[in-house]
Amino acid sequence: MKKSFISCALGMFLLLVSPMYATAMDTRQKIEMPPMMQEHMLNNMRDHLRALQEIQAALAKSDFDKAADIAEQRLGMSSLEKHGAAHMAPYMPKTMQDIGTQMHRAASRFSRTAQEAAVKADMAPVLEDFSTLLRQCVACHDSYRLR
């Protein structure tokens, strides 16, 4: 009786836990590329994250010109060559490429909006464009992984 109770309790526990495991599995598409390219991409992503933090710090100080410069030089369309985008693109699915392009365009738009805010002192459009930029980051990281 005791063994059957323990077996039943264990079975019930596993039934309850199984759905949690299923939802915890990483369902993002794995991107295959040579290890050297993976490291290059991860370094780019880390620099993007640092740039986003630096932008946020500049915005907290109302230093809109600095935020604009960081956005354009490190994330915007002007940064594509520096990041080796042309070399990375062949390893990315088309939808990932599209999200990346949208992110770089959003960064350039944010840069222009931040420059305007330096004159207008209106934070709402700046925050809206910053949110649009971050939304592209989230879309990519929600959909794809390297490891």
Side-chain angles (χ1 to χ4, degrees):
M1 171 93 171
K2 190 175 180 181
K3 275 188 177 182
S4 65
F5 175 76
I6 292 172
S7 295
C8 183
L10 181 60
M12 293 295 285
F13 174 76
L14 291 174
L15 281 174
L16 290 171
V17 173
S18 293
M20 287 186 274
Y21 258 150
T23 57
M25 290 175 43
D26 193 345
T27 59
R28 297 174 297 165
Q29 181 179 343
K30 186 172 191 266
I31 305 304
E32 300 291 341
M33 61 178 60
M36 190 169 97
M37 297 298 276
Q38 281 186 13
E39 284 307 311
H40 181 78
M41 180 175 274
L42 289 171
N43 285 332
N44 283 344
M45 294 301 106
R46 289 180 193 110
D47 184 63
H48 289 166
L49 188 57
R50 279 189 297 277
L52 292 168
Q53 186 278 321
E54 291 171 22
I55 290 167
Q56 190 174 32
L59 291 177
K61 295 176 183 173
S62 297
D63 193 345
F64 300 109
D65 288 329
K66 182 175 182 178
D69 186 54
I70 294 166
E72 186 55 45
Q73 298 307 312
R74 306 249 306 271
L75 302 170
M77 295 302 287
S78 300
S79 73
L80 292 177
E81 191 173 325
K82 175 185 168 194
H83 285 103
H87 300 294
M88 303 301 289
Y91 295 98
M92 299 178 198
K94 175 80 169 91
T95 52
M96 186 180 185
Q97 291 177 29
D98 292 344
I99 293 170
T101 300
Q102 290 169 17
M103 185 280 293
H104 292 293
R105 287 185 178 149
S108 290
R109 276 192 306 276
F110 167 83
S111 179
R112 289 188 300 276
T113 304
Q115 288 172 334
E116 291 170 8
V119 176
K120 297 178 183 177
D122 184 5
M123 275 294 280
V126 174
L127 294 175
E128 184 176 335
D129 282 357
F130 193 59
S131 178
T132 300
L133 167 59
L134 290 172
R135 192 171 25 256
Q136 299 310 312
C137 300
V138 170
C140 194
H141 287 268
D142 274 352
S143 301
Y144 303 101
R145 66 187 176 94
L146 291 179
R147 297 181 178 151

